Amino acid sequence: MPLIDAHQHFWNPATVAYPWMDPADAVIHRHYGPEHLAPHLERHGIAGTVLVQSADSDEDTDAMFAVAAGFPAVLGVVGYVPLDDPARAADRLTELAARPGFAGIRNLIHDRPDPDWLLRPEVIDGLRLLERADVPFDLVAVLPRHLEVLLELSERLPELRVVVDHLAAPPFGGDPGPWRELLAAVAANPRVHAKVSGLYPAPGTDLRPWIDTAVELFGPDRLMLGSDWPIAERAGGFDPVWSALVDVVDGYGPEVAAPLRSVTARRFYRLG
């Protein structure tokens, strides 16, 4: 069964601004490009990736497309448009849609102090552009409120296709009840998918129960695997993070594993 990494990043803080980065963080605040990722893809038999934005800026998106043009392993690019400026977002969306490999849009909503930012009228108008164009939206949910907001979005924008990044930050070491309840509620919308990615519990934690929950709620046809590299460098690097996910997923058998390994990502992002 082929593999697709449905969530990875490239960045170079020397050429593009990433406001969330701490310059003192030597692990993250450095250049990560194809030359660093390629050995991991080859070692794990990964056929391609989805490259996801790392800054709410045109500069980051343009840099991603420039890198992807010379790195065929990138099958899709999830870029940025300013959802809170619908007129400019519409122009930019038209421009991005004409680029080979354009796959979706994300905004770093988890870095915004207002957890209800997506519900602002102008942002709803921006999301409606995605809905009408059938462009998927990557949603970074790190607070329970972010999933509650998604429930309202599902009512107001019923045709919007959404993927929840990183299983909405499972509460490792805490009470899983509220997380599970909200995840079940958003999963009731068949247009909402999720990424089994960005899971960094304490060393020795069994990921299987948390991924079991995702498989139960979404089904394998709405789940996809992602390395979240190079953030994964904070948890030991690409190899141990990716291997831990694949070991769990392959343990379910091919009927469950095949969608998570590649089929869901190809279909959701319409990858070539």
Side-chain angles (χ1 to χ4, degrees):
M1 291 178 290
L3 280 163
I4 288 178
D5 179 352
H7 196 100
Q8 58 91 194
H9 309 282
F10 292 135
W11 59 61
N12 186 352
T15 58
V16 175
Y18 298 94
W20 57 271
M21 285 188 189
D22 179 358
D25 185 347
V27 173
I28 295 300
H29 194 267
R30 47 158 288 192
H31 174 224
Y32 285 100
E35 64 272 31
H36 306 108
L37 181 62
H40 299 300
L41 302 185
E42 182 176 358
R43 187 156 47 247
H44 293 275
I46 298 171
T49 75
V50 177
L51 178 56
V52 180
Q53 60 98 230
S54 302
D56 285 350
S57 69
D58 293 345
E59 291 76 16
D60 174 60
T61 297
D62 290 340
M64 287 194 300
F65 275 103
V67 171
F71 189 51
V74 175
L75 303 178
V77 177
V78 175
Y80 163 82
V81 298
L83 293 173
D84 54 349
D85 186 345
R88 192 159 69 88
D91 290 342
R92 182 67 168 167
L93 192 61
T94 298
E95 179 186 344
L96 294 180
R99 299 188 185 187
F102 174 65
I105 291 297
R106 186 171 85 148
N107 279 207
L108 300 182
I109 67 164
H110 61 306
D111 286 344
R112 298 180 182 273
D114 179 9
D116 288 358
W117 183 81
L118 285 173
L119 297 179
R120 295 184 179 188
E122 65 274 18
V123 179
I124 292 287
D125 288 343
L127 289 168
R128 189 169 286 115
L129 294 170
L130 305 186
E131 181 187 41
R132 290 173 178 168
D134 197 22
V135 171
F137 180 62
D138 267 61
L139 187 144
V140 195
V142 300
L143 301 173
R145 180 59 187 161
H146 290 143
L147 291 181
E148 293 170 353
V149 165
L150 177 55
L151 290 175
E152 186 164 342
L153 289 178
S154 291
E155 293 182 3
R156 298 178 66 173
L157 303 168
E159 301 301 312
L160 180 65
R161 292 191 294 127
V162 176
V163 59
V164 178
D165 292 344
H166 315 323
L167 290 185
F172 298 117
D175 177 9
W179 168 79
R180 178 191 172 91
E181 183 177 348
L182 279 172
L183 208 62
V186 301
N189 179 352
R191 291 185 174 271
V192 175
H193 293 54
K195 291 183 181 180
V196 180
S197 61
L199 307 180
Y200 306 122
T205 301
D206 185 3
L207 288 175
R208 175 73 185 248
W210 303 90
I211 300 177
D212 281 350
T213 297
V215 172
E216 175 189 346
L217 298 179
F218 287 93
D221 291 333
R222 287 192 286 146
L223 293 175
M224 58 193 89
L225 282 174
S227 68
D228 195 30
W229 181 89
I231 297 296
E233 293 295 322
R234 287 175 169 166
F238 187 104
D239 294 339
V241 168
W242 182 258
S243 294
L245 297 179
V246 173
D247 286 350
V248 172
V249 167
D250 283 353
Y252 294 117
E255 289 190 5
V256 172
L260 279 105
R261 276 176 151 257
S262 64
V263 175
T264 301
R266 285 193 181 275
R267 185 185 66 250
F268 181 81
Y269 284 120
R270 295 172 181 161
L271 304 177

